[in-house]
Amino acid sequence: MSSEIEQMCIAKGMRMTDQRRVIAKVLSNANDHPDVEEVYRRATDIDSRISIATVYRTVRLFEEAGILERHDFRVESGENRARFELVSEMHHDHLIDIEGGEVIEFHDKEIEELQKKIAEKHGYKLVDHRMELYGVKIR
Amino acid sequence: MSSEIEQMCIAKGMRMTDQRRVIAKVLSNANDHPDVEEVYRRATDIDSRISIATVYRTVRLFEEAGILERHDFRVESGENRARFELVSEMHHDHLIDIEGGEVIEFHDKEIEELQKKIAEKHGYKLVDHRMELYGVKIR
DNA sequence: ATATTTGCAAACCGTTTGCAGCAAG
DNA sequence: CTTGCTGCAAACGGTTTGCAAATAT
């Protein structure tokens, strides 16, 4: 059976190679926000004939096709790797545990509404936004 | 007369070189959000004996001293340069014109409050956040 | 058959760093 | 005098790319 992303690719008329199928599967199954290295690890685990260059090309392709969303979370270690997740029907933002690294997804209608209003107040139509909350667990 | 940033540096006991003084002045006078190349341009305009390496070292120093804030605005051209601004007494977020590139600062108490609540609802203490609105001018 | 994709390694770009000389305290 | 700063050029790390071979359609 083909993965969720593979279906989307087919729907968009993309040429499906073994590599793309594997990467599509890895990303479809991910419920975290892996970076390219991690996708590469998981993909080569399934099929070793995949190069990191192809992973880079493929996540970019998927992103441009509106299948994946790219994030640049600010992270303690200062490493600057982009992380990816499947675009979901429901838009959401992220709360990042700066100690543990976990990422919690949330959606707040009220904030979204306020953001739109702020843009309008300044004479702008809001076309995108980025909101990341950074926190530490209360124990 | 010494610039706002220079005063802060002195207050923190930093060794003041000509290069640092010039860079401090450039950043104190900036009311935009220049990247390193732009700071370098403005600085060498005043005194050509400044290298880009020193600009990099100095903005990092100022950032770590809590004098500057670093931003990584998402930008159409895909270029990934960090941009800097003097930390202001009043915290604010940014509305970025994705066409013109202008950056508008704003502050919304209500959103800040909601962000804190969201973090708490998930068992986190909010320690930082990043909120950028991307818009197009309504003509 | 042809157009697209791949792996490889080299290039890229923003940023950092080792080092020897220079300047601040 | 000592410690820290600078310029230079080389290294870095994540990402992209030119190319010839391999593959999808």
Side-chain angles (χ1 to χ4, degrees), chain B:
Chain B
M1 61 303 153
S2 66
S3 69
E4 192 179 346
I5 292 179
E6 187 179 342
Q7 315 247 35
M8 295 179 173
C9 292
I10 292 163
K12 289 178 197 274
M14 288 181 190
R15 203 177 266 212
M16 290 314 289
T17 62
D18 291 349
Q19 288 86 332
R20 284 191 186 165
R21 249 185 291 273
V22 170
I23 295 167
K25 185 181 185 174
V26 164
L27 287 163
S28 292
N29 292 347
N31 48 315
D32 49 354
H33 303 73
D35 61 24
V36 165
E37 302 244 350
E38 182 59 29
V39 174
Y40 174 62
R41 236 171 272 129
R42 297 181 195 177
T44 48
D45 229 62
I46 298 173
D47 180 345
S48 61
R49 307 163 312 147
I50 295 177
S51 74
I52 192 121
T54 295
V55 179
Y56 273 107
R57 281 192 273 238
T58 306
V59 295
R60 178 181 253 263
L61 176 75
F62 290 176
E63 192 199 351
E64 283 166 358
I67 294 170
L68 288 184
E69 199 167 325
R70 170 192 305 259
H71 298 293
D72 295 282
F73 298 144
R74 201 184 280 144
V75 74
E76 58 301 345
S77 61
E79 95 215 325
N80 218 19
R81 304 208 192 93
R83 303 172 60 169
F84 297 86
E85 79 175 311
L86 188 44
V87 167
S88 59
E89 58 278 29
M90 179 52 140
H91 157 79
H92 59 258
D93 294 292
H94 300 87
L95 165 57
I96 296 116
D97 181 334
I98 57 170
E99 291 168 346
E102 297 108 282
V103 176
I104 293 145
E105 304 181 345
F106 69 89
H107 174 79
D108 190 286
K109 229 176 205 164
E110 206 176 336
I111 291 186
E112 307 271 314
E113 207 40 65
L114 286 166
Q115 289 174 335
K116 202 157 34 167
K117 281 210 192 100
I118 289 165
E120 279 163 12
K121 194 167 63 191
H122 288 90
Y124 282 83
K125 183 176 175 309
L126 188 62
V127 300
D128 194 10
H129 76 254
R130 175 199 255 173
M131 175 165 62
E132 291 152 21
L133 307 185
Y134 295 88
V136 293
K137 221 170 239 157
I138 302 166
R139 79 261 81 92

Side-chain angles (χ1 to χ4, degrees), chain A residues 33 36 46 69 88 123 128 131 137:
Chain A
H33 304 73
V36 165
I46 297 174
E69 199 167 325
S88 59
D128 193 11
M131 177 165 60
K137 221 168 240 158

Side-chain angles (χ1 to χ4, degrees), chain A residues 15 17 19-20 49-51 53-54 57:
Chain A
R15 206 176 266 216
T17 62
Q19 289 87 332
R20 283 190 186 166
R49 308 162 311 146
I50 295 176
S51 74
T54 296
R57 281 191 273 237

